[in-house]
Amino acid sequence: MDGVIVDFNKFRDERGLTGDQVKVMPGAYLQMPAISGAIDAVRSLIGMGYEVWLATKPPTGVAHAYSDKAAWVFAHLPELKRRLIVTHDKGLLGDEGDFLCDDRPHKANCEAFPGRLLRFVDGFHWPEALAVLRRNSRQSGGSAMQSRQDAARWRAIRQMDGATISSLLGPRDGRCLESADAAVDAYISASSAGLTETCNG
């Protein structure tokens, strides 16, 4: 969030504080302004069909920073209140078809992100990122969500053994291929359900 959507530096500089002082200040993250154009950019991505999530690394051990960051999202981007991830390891997030926008790509294990890392450094910011993401949306047939679903489908196929793939594909005609797509979708749903049960168990 900070440096991509939230203007941490402006808040810090206007008050003559150090970054470390800001990080431990109660209410600081909640009071920070949005970066100019950032909220409109996020909503543009949603309009393009991207499944947008916010990932943020809180200062370690500062409990109120976690809730302040969440409260900021509730106030400024309420449509993403269920899509906020607080983590110290962004390398655990996403898939190969995803994008991660980050202004500190050398931190929070961003370099291990399996998709494409958009580095918000050296003058690269939302205008440039939107150009990349619009181009990606057009190349995927105008639906970034569909592209992501297709990637998930083929990842599922790669995880299957030969016998399972053969049973899905059957004779090579259009009807059977449609059935294969449906079966793979069911496989993805079942796998997701199993993962959820494992995580919640």
Side-chain angles (χ1 to χ4, degrees), residues 32-110:
M32 291 179 188
I35 290 174
S36 179
I39 290 178
D40 287 342
V42 169
R43 289 176 173 154
S44 292
L45 293 180
I46 295 171
M48 290 181 216
Y50 282 98
E51 182 181 325
V52 178
W53 289 73
L54 298 181
T56 186
K57 176 187 176 298
T60 304
V62 184
H64 59 75
Y66 290 62
S67 58
D68 286 348
K69 283 173 174 267
W72 192 97
V73 174
F74 299 164
H76 296 274
L77 282 165
E79 59 266 58
L80 297 181
K81 64 185 177 183
R82 295 181 183 273
R83 292 190 172 182
L84 173 63
I85 300 171
V86 180
T87 180
H88 282 76
D89 191 344
K90 296 177 184 177
L92 297 175
L93 306 178
D95 288 312
E96 59 193 30
D98 293 332
F99 292 83
L100 173 64
C101 301
D102 206 286
D103 71 316
R104 305 188 76 192
H106 59 294
K107 297 285 188 179
N109 202 26
C110 287

Side-chain angles (χ1 to χ4, degrees), residues 7-29 31-32:
D7 204 334
F8 180 100
N9 291 347
K10 182 177 181 180
F11 181 90
R12 177 199 64 200
D13 295 345
E14 286 180 347
R15 288 157 179 78
L17 301 172
T18 66
D20 288 340
Q21 288 173 323
V22 171
K23 290 175 183 178
V24 299
M25 179 188 298
Y29 286 99
Q31 298 174 53
M32 291 179 188

